[in-house]
Amino acid sequence: MSAGIIGALVGLVIAIADFALLRLLATRVELPETKRVLNVTGLSQLVLLPIVGYFVAPLFSGE
């Protein structure tokens, strides 16, 4: 398994954990705009963190 794939998987795990925490925080907020921003942030991290992990992990592993 290449370093890029491992980095993408680690990024996905971190993104899922962060998404769950942001959704939990969104349930405690009163303003609908803030809830929407927290949900959009969580969804964007689900896409961006695996991509960043895919490109950054080979730099750390030396590939």
Side-chain angles (χ1 to χ4, degrees), residues 40-58:
V40 168
T41 301
L43 289 173
S44 66
Q45 286 183 359
L46 276 174
V47 174
L48 293 177
L49 285 179
I51 294 171
V52 170
Y54 181 79
F55 290 110
V56 171

Side-chain angles (χ1 to χ4, degrees), residues 1-61:
M1 188 176 279
S2 71
I5 300 296
I6 293 171
L9 290 174
V10 170
L12 182 63
V13 168
I14 293 171
I16 289 171
D18 193 36
F19 179 72
L21 291 174
L22 286 172
R23 294 283 294 192
L24 180 66
L25 181 61
T27 62
R28 306 184 114 230
V29 175
E30 295 178 9
L31 295 174
E33 296 87 9
T34 307
K35 288 181 183 186
R36 185 174 42 239
V37 167
L38 289 172
N39 289 328
V40 168
T41 301
L43 289 173
S44 66
Q45 286 183 359
L46 276 174
V47 174
L48 293 177
L49 285 179
I51 294 171
V52 170
Y54 181 79
F55 290 110
V56 171
L59 297 175
F60 283 113
S61 69

